[in-house]
Amino acid sequence: MTRLQKMVLKPKEQLVTRLFLSPKLQQNLTVLSYSTYDLVSAMKELSESNPFVSLAEPKSETHSLEWIGDTGSESLPDHLLLQVRMSDWSNREKSAVKLLIYNLDDNGYLRAKLNELAQASEFSLADLEQAKVLLHSLDPCGIGASSLNECLLIQACQKENFDETAMQILLSDSLELLADPQKWEQSDFSASQLTQALANIQTLDPTPAGEYVTEQNIQYLLPDLIFKVEVGRLTIETAKSQIPELLFDEKTYKELKTQSGQGKYFSQQRQDYLEMKNAIDQRQQTILRLGKYAGEYQRAFLTTMQTQELKPLGLKDAANALNLAPSTISRAIKDKYIQCQNKIFSLKILFPRKVTTDLSQARIEYDLQKLIDQEGSQQPLSDQQLVEHFADHGVTLSRRVIAKYRKKLNIPNSYQRKRDLQK
């Protein structure tokens, strides 16, 4: 055996670290991810299966946030209507978009013909065409498409540096080309280009409404946290009024355990109760801590309810501030709702994605719309001038990003705006 062979066959020792979650920790994380509705359901199941557990009327509790400085499952219609309510659209635009939302199928597609909807409603075809553009700007991306190709195209347009071949295929409505490799030879693209295009298109979601419950499974939205704005003070209340209290009949437990001689069974019933109670307490404490932190960070939004006041807040940022894992933060905001100024909305809204160093998408859209509204009638601002304006204020954006948000706001380019003004 040569020296090289010996080197190749020599066993290699390697230290591998694996993370194993104890059953208790697994239950705590599972309960943390529950919506209020799911949590109450789990508590009811425990009370029905455990003879010593019962549920009592819930108690409410209020925590002062004086220290804050002045600075589920969810249905698709609920998710979309919330965004419509929070938008700056006109009342007529909101009503038209709502009409389209009520005509979406379970996959989030708008199969109904706009001209038929116009004939059966107070809106014109032009109104509904504009409403469809607004609907396409909502989350999840791809919602309101009339076909698979349109759904994927909407998502592709929202992605930066999306594969050019894939984009051309979607723009030409040629998905069937990718579906049949035998036709690839008839294409103007090479096999490698089509393979790459197919891989990119497969990253898109053909059913953007898949993660939302259907109308048959819609539940009432129950807030987990309630923010109140009173004379400049912001308070937060844990919505324990929605969650019953878990009780254990200790007296009966001890009597039966002594008489029956089945100590192991009875001990297990008590252990099940304690683990559930501990998991619920941990859930409430984590959500409350997260609510206080998000309330401090997003005070401007909570007091004004203006989406442009939302500041970018990532899960990692919250995790670092609270000394928790990002996955824990993700579970804590999943299917959770907050109530503020008589509105109920997803806790996720307090965690907008970061577009630049310190501005959220909502803020950039607001500033962009304001600049367009204030521009001179004879010299509308070009995308490059808009880029330079933001740069003068310390915000670095590309022309592509400006064009993306301009189109999302349904704002024509500078040439079209100037031509429209001259008419």
Side-chain angles (χ1 to χ4, degrees):
M1 182 177 292
T2 66
R3 182 181 179 184
L4 178 59
Q5 288 174 321
K6 291 180 179 179
M7 292 175 63
V8 172
L9 296 176
K10 184 179 179 179
K12 180 181 179 181
E13 294 183 357
Q14 186 176 5
L15 179 63
V16 179
T17 301
R18 290 187 175 90
L19 179 63
F20 294 95
L21 300 180
S22 66
K24 179 180 178 181
L25 182 55
Q26 289 178 348
Q27 182 178 34
N28 287 353
L29 294 176
T30 299
V31 171
L32 177 61
S33 66
Y34 281 158
S35 66
T36 298
Y37 179 86
D38 291 336
L39 176 61
V40 174
S41 297
M43 295 172 69
K44 289 180 179 178
E45 289 179 6
L46 180 62
S47 67
E48 292 171 356
S49 62
N50 193 316
F52 306 107
V53 175
S54 60
L55 302 180
E57 288 298 318
K59 298 179 181 179
S60 61
E61 181 179 359
T62 300
H63 298 263
S64 174
L65 290 190
E66 191 63 26
W67 54 272
I68 293 182
D70 286 325
T71 45
S73 297
E74 186 178 26
S75 73
L76 179 64
D78 288 334
H79 181 69
L80 295 173
L81 292 173
L82 167 64
Q83 297 174 71
V84 173
R85 289 196 298 270
M86 301 292 289
S87 72
D88 295 328
W89 303 335
S90 68
N91 289 334
R92 184 170 181 80
E93 288 175 330
K94 290 182 178 180
S95 297
V97 174
K98 289 179 182 178
L99 174 64
L100 299 186
I101 290 174
Y102 293 133
N103 281 277
L104 296 176
D105 64 17
D106 289 343
N107 291 320
Y109 284 83
L110 182 63
R111 305 292 188 182
K113 303 295 183 182
L114 294 185
N115 58 342
E116 296 177 359
L117 291 177
Q119 294 175 359
S121 69
E122 59 179 307
F123 302 102
S124 66
L125 179 59
D127 288 335
L128 295 183
E129 288 174 342
Q130 170 63 13
K132 186 177 180 180
V133 173
L134 296 176
L135 177 61
H136 289 171
S137 71
L138 300 180
D139 176 76
C141 188
I143 205 71
S146 56
S147 65
L148 173 62
N149 191 92
E150 185 180 23
C151 175
L152 300 180
L153 179 59
I154 294 171
Q155 297 174 55
C157 290
Q158 291 293 322
K159 290 197 171 189
E160 292 191 17
N161 303 318
F162 192 73
D163 183 77
E164 292 184 5
T165 301
M167 182 66 78
Q168 291 184 46
I169 290 173
L170 292 173
L171 287 171
S172 61
D173 197 3
S174 304
L175 274 178
E176 69 280 356
L177 174 65
L178 287 180
D180 187 359
Q182 294 182 353
K183 296 181 179 180
W184 286 12
E185 294 182 356
Q186 307 171 12
S187 170
D188 295 332
F189 304 108
S190 66
S192 60
Q193 287 178 313
L194 292 174
T195 300
Q196 183 63 32
L198 178 60
N200 277 266
I201 288 177
Q202 286 176 336
T203 65
L204 307 177
D205 188 357
T207 55
E211 65 177 285
Y212 299 92
V213 297
T214 60
E215 291 185 358
Q216 289 79 9
N217 296 317
I218 293 177
Q219 307 294 344
Y220 289 106
L221 297 182
L222 302 176
D224 294 87
L225 298 171
I226 300 175
F227 289 95
K228 295 182 179 179
V229 181
E230 300 173 345
V231 195
R233 292 180 63 241
L234 184 65
T235 60
I236 181 172
E237 177 181 342
T238 55
K240 286 188 175 181
S241 58
Q242 311 290 354
I243 302 176
E245 185 178 3
L246 205 61
L247 301 178
F248 189 81
D249 190 344
E250 190 74 26
K251 182 179 179 180
T252 302
Y253 162 77
K254 290 181 178 179
E255 291 177 353
L256 293 179
K257 182 179 181 181
T258 302
Q259 298 172 6
S260 67
Q262 298 292 328
K264 185 176 181 180
Y265 166 79
F266 288 97
S267 296
Q268 185 61 51
Q269 301 305 307
R270 191 172 191 277
Q271 184 64 26
D272 291 345
Y273 157 77
L274 291 175
E275 289 179 355
M276 175 60 83
K277 187 175 186 303
N278 176 71
I280 294 173
D281 291 342
Q282 289 290 328
R283 175 189 186 273
Q284 298 303 94
Q285 292 173 17
T286 300
I287 294 175
L288 181 58
R289 286 183 65 202
L290 185 60
K292 286 183 177 181
Y293 173 77
E296 175 185 19
Y297 197 86
Q298 304 290 10
R299 166 182 275 271
F301 165 72
L302 292 171
T303 54
T304 64
M305 299 305 291
Q306 299 296 319
T307 55
Q308 64 268 20
E309 297 296 340
L310 282 168
K311 297 186 293 183
L313 180 57
L315 300 187
K316 289 185 179 179
D317 298 326
N320 292 335
L322 299 175
N323 195 28
L324 296 170
S327 59
T328 300
I329 301 296
S330 178
R331 288 183 174 92
I333 67 175
K334 180 179 181 290
D335 295 331
K336 307 301 189 301
Y337 296 88
I338 59 178
Q339 178 178 320
C340 185
Q341 301 195 45
N342 297 319
K343 294 181 179 180
I344 295 179
F345 45 90
S346 174
L347 180 56
K348 290 181 180 179
I349 200 173
L350 300 185
F351 294 82
R353 293 181 178 178
K354 185 182 299 183
V355 176
T356 66
T357 304
D358 56 358
L359 292 184
S360 66
Q361 176 179 325
R363 183 69 204 191
I364 289 178
E365 291 177 357
Y366 174 81
D367 290 343
L368 179 60
Q369 183 68 65
K370 190 174 181 180
L371 283 172
I372 299 298
D373 292 342
Q374 295 176 349
E375 68 184 0
S377 59
Q378 298 303 318
Q379 293 295 330
L381 298 172
S382 66
D383 288 353
Q384 181 58 41
Q385 289 173 318
L386 292 169
V387 167
E388 294 170 356
H389 179 88
F390 277 101
D392 291 340
H393 291 78
V395 180
T396 302
L397 298 173
S398 66
R399 288 180 58 185
R400 180 167 183 165
V401 170
I402 290 293
K404 170 185 173 181
Y405 290 126
R406 177 172 54 74
K407 291 176 181 178
K408 183 177 180 181
L409 295 169
N410 199 37
I411 299 174
N413 60 37
S414 58
Y415 174 77
Q416 292 173 319
R417 298 201 304 275
K418 184 175 181 180
R419 186 178 62 181
D420 292 342
L421 290 170
Q422 291 174 343
K423 289 182 179 179

